[in-house]
Amino acid sequence: MWRHSIKPRPGWKDKVIEQGLVFPMTDLPDGSQTPYWNESAWYEVTMDEVLHLERVTEELYEMCKHAASVMASGDRFSDSQLGLASGTLPLVRESLKRDDPSVYARFDLVWNGVEPKMLEINGDTPTGLVESAVIQWNWLEDVFPDADQWNSVHDRLVKWWSEQLAAGRFPGNEAHFFNSAAETTGEEAMTVAYLRDTAAMAGLATYGHEIEDLGWESEQRAFVDWGGRKIRTAFKLYPWEDMLDDQFGRYILSGLEREPVQWIEPIWKTMLSTKAILPVLWELYPDHPNLLPAYFGSPGDLLEWVAKPLHGREGSNIRIHTISSTEDDVHDGPYDTDTMVYQEWSPLPSYEGNRAVIGSWIVDGVAAGMMVRESDGPVTDYYARFVPHAIGTEARPDPETIQKWLQE
């Protein structure tokens, strides 16, 4: 992978806002701003690299699904050990048994040499979707109109909704879409609005709400929206670990619903949104070329490590321990640090001071594309930048070939 400098398009900020990216700039603590969408550079990947990332991503996802079933088994973990509300794991086991449908997830990968290594997976509430599926594709159309990009995210999302609809998985052919009003940057609302668009393109009737407006109708024993409409299928960009601790979480945990809501992502994805999956993967697949050694509760035999909270996001509350440093590099944040997962330290590659991490998307179990975020420091945090990519020297396939790939 190579990083190239390039002149941004005239009026780029207005372009990306018009295409749905509500925060092209990031506010800094001193009151200034820096680009979040950074098109003063682009990353070049080869087709061989893309094919390798596809294989790795799909294999890792199958491994994660296996790890989820192991984690949810009755004697492996308790709810409290995973930082989950009491009664969660029995529902996870039932969800896995039903094979409740899941639409997407995102791996974060570090690639320093021959093999990419899994840093983590966000299987419940991944963001970066609009930038990956829409904004960087439109950038490619403007800047390199004949080139290709590893990016079938949009087409695969529409395809997933269409196939689920055709299979009769959505009662009433409708779905509700929820984001939290507590998230004020607009990232969650933007992501949910985009996913709602892909569902509407597939033919679903859709309803958009804030999760705080979720209601309970005791006579029907059903969740309802603010207008009193019964909720039967719902996508929510709201973490399960928070949802089950909320006021209405007890209705789910106690099984009071007469006809349970089909939640997307389903509750079994709690196992794919906790860092506890990392040591389980290492135990199940020791010395796997795409995994880093990881341990639960202590660094074990690791000399250099990163300690991560079970439910941390954007680099918050992590601790980096290296041999060369006299003090650990500690990053503050709001997450519980009573239980930590320790993973072998694998520094991000530096491209002239830009530390790059690869986000690899899964849609319906199929590798669907990539995003690149870069940061100035060792941690991909809130101030990271999104940088587009293209497949170098690779001509864009014709529409018939693209449709064939999607069907495969």
Side-chain angles (χ1 to χ4, degrees):
M1 193 164 74
W2 298 267
R3 186 183 194 272
H4 304 286
S5 297
I6 191 172
K7 186 177 181 179
R9 294 168 295 173
W12 66 268
K13 190 185 301 184
D14 291 336
K15 288 179 187 290
V16 299
I17 291 174
E18 183 179 333
Q19 292 162 5
L21 183 61
V22 300
F23 51 96
M25 306 294 290
T26 298
D27 294 329
L28 298 176
D30 63 4
S32 62
Q33 289 187 320
T34 188
Y36 164 69
W37 168 261
N38 178 23
E39 62 175 67
S40 64
W42 65 282
Y43 281 87
E44 177 186 353
V45 292
T46 68
M47 181 56 77
D48 285 344
E49 288 174 329
V50 167
L51 293 174
H52 188 60
L53 285 168
E54 285 183 337
R55 289 192 295 270
V56 168
T57 299
E58 291 175 5
E59 181 179 359
L60 285 173
Y61 191 66
E62 290 302 313
M63 291 161 55
C64 286
K65 289 169 65 177
H66 176 213
S69 64
V70 171
M71 293 168 69
S73 62
D75 57 355
R76 184 58 190 244
F77 290 107
S78 66
D79 292 313
S80 60
Q81 285 176 308
L82 294 176
L84 299 171
S86 178
T88 299
L89 285 173
L91 296 183
V92 170
R93 289 192 287 272
E94 293 172 12
S95 179
L96 285 166
K97 186 176 180 180
R98 290 190 303 264
D99 193 23
D100 287 341
S102 163
V103 56
Y104 78 135
R106 192 196 73 230
F107 287 95
D108 285 345
L109 306 173
V110 56
W111 202 348
N112 274 311
V114 177
E115 288 292 342
K117 303 286 187 179
M118 175 183 169
L119 295 176
E120 58 189 55
I121 180 173
N122 190 328
D124 186 19
T125 58
T127 53
L129 197 60
V130 175
E131 304 92 296
S132 298
V134 178
I135 307 302
Q136 71 170 346
W137 180 259
N138 287 326
W139 168 87
L140 186 79
E141 293 270 69
D142 285 349
V143 178
F144 300 121
D146 297 324
D148 200 8
Q149 188 177 82
W150 182 27
N151 192 355
S152 61
V153 175
H154 178 82
D155 290 333
R156 292 194 184 278
L157 287 172
V158 176
K159 179 174 179 282
W160 185 86
W161 292 110
S162 299
E163 290 177 348
Q164 298 295 314
L165 180 61
R169 299 297 293 265
F170 303 125
N173 295 337
E174 65 181 30
H176 285 73
F177 289 78
F178 290 97
N179 62 278
S180 175
E183 201 285 312
T184 58
T185 69
E187 180 178 36
E188 291 184 7
M190 173 187 77
T191 304
V192 171
Y194 170 63
L195 280 162
R196 184 182 173 189
D197 281 348
T198 62
M201 290 176 187
L204 269 76
T206 64
Y207 306 91
H209 301 282
E210 293 174 342
I211 196 73
E212 289 80 5
D213 291 330
L214 187 68
W216 176 259
E217 213 290 316
S218 56
E219 187 172 331
Q220 296 185 67
R221 285 167 41 201
F223 287 107
V224 295
D225 63 21
W226 63 266
R229 188 180 188 89
K230 184 179 178 181
I231 297 168
R232 295 185 282 187
T233 298
F235 175 90
K236 50 88 192 165
L237 198 70
Y238 191 61
W240 270 108
E241 67 267 18
D242 293 338
M243 186 169 168
L244 294 174
D245 277 335
D246 282 351
Q247 177 184 357
F248 294 130
R250 65 180 184 270
Y251 297 125
I252 299 174
L253 291 167
S254 59
L256 286 179
E257 296 171 273
R258 183 174 283 124
E259 297 176 19
V261 173
Q262 178 179 240
W263 293 102
I264 305 168
E265 294 296 306
I267 196 169
W268 70 262
K269 295 296 282 296
T270 56
M271 301 295 98
L272 270 63
S273 63
T274 169
K275 306 303 187 298
I277 197 173
L278 299 174
V280 175
L281 284 168
W282 185 247
E283 180 182 328
L284 293 172
Y285 305 97
D287 299 320
H288 190 282
N290 303 119
L291 295 177
L292 293 167
Y295 302 99
F296 194 82
S298 74
D301 59 357
L302 300 177
L303 298 179
E304 297 189 310
W305 44 260
V306 180
K308 302 179 178 182
L310 294 182
H311 296 115
R313 290 172 174 83
E314 293 188 324
S316 295
N317 295 103
I318 74 167
R319 178 186 295 267
I320 302 172
H321 176 82
T322 61
I323 296 173
S324 60
S325 298
T326 56
E327 293 184 358
D328 291 350
D329 183 3
V330 180
H331 295 253
D332 294 331
Y335 298 103
D336 181 12
T337 57
D338 288 344
T339 302
M340 302 287 274
V341 164
Y342 293 79
Q343 185 183 53
E344 183 177 79
W345 169 237
S346 181
L348 299 176
S350 177
Y351 297 84
E352 298 178 345
N354 300 283
R355 314 283 186 92
V357 65
I358 295 173
S360 185
W361 291 100
I362 278 277
V363 178
D364 194 21
V366 179
M370 66 179 278
M371 56 186 271
V372 180
R373 286 174 297 160
E374 59 181 25
S375 55
D376 296 329
V379 176
T380 307
D381 57 15
Y382 173 78
Y383 302 105
R385 304 172 289 277
F386 190 109
V387 184
H389 79 277
I391 303 175
T393 71
E394 192 70 27
R396 188 175 306 179
D398 58 68
E400 291 76 14
T401 301
I402 293 173
Q403 288 304 312
K404 181 181 178 182
W405 287 347
L406 290 173
Q407 294 308 314
E408 291 174 348

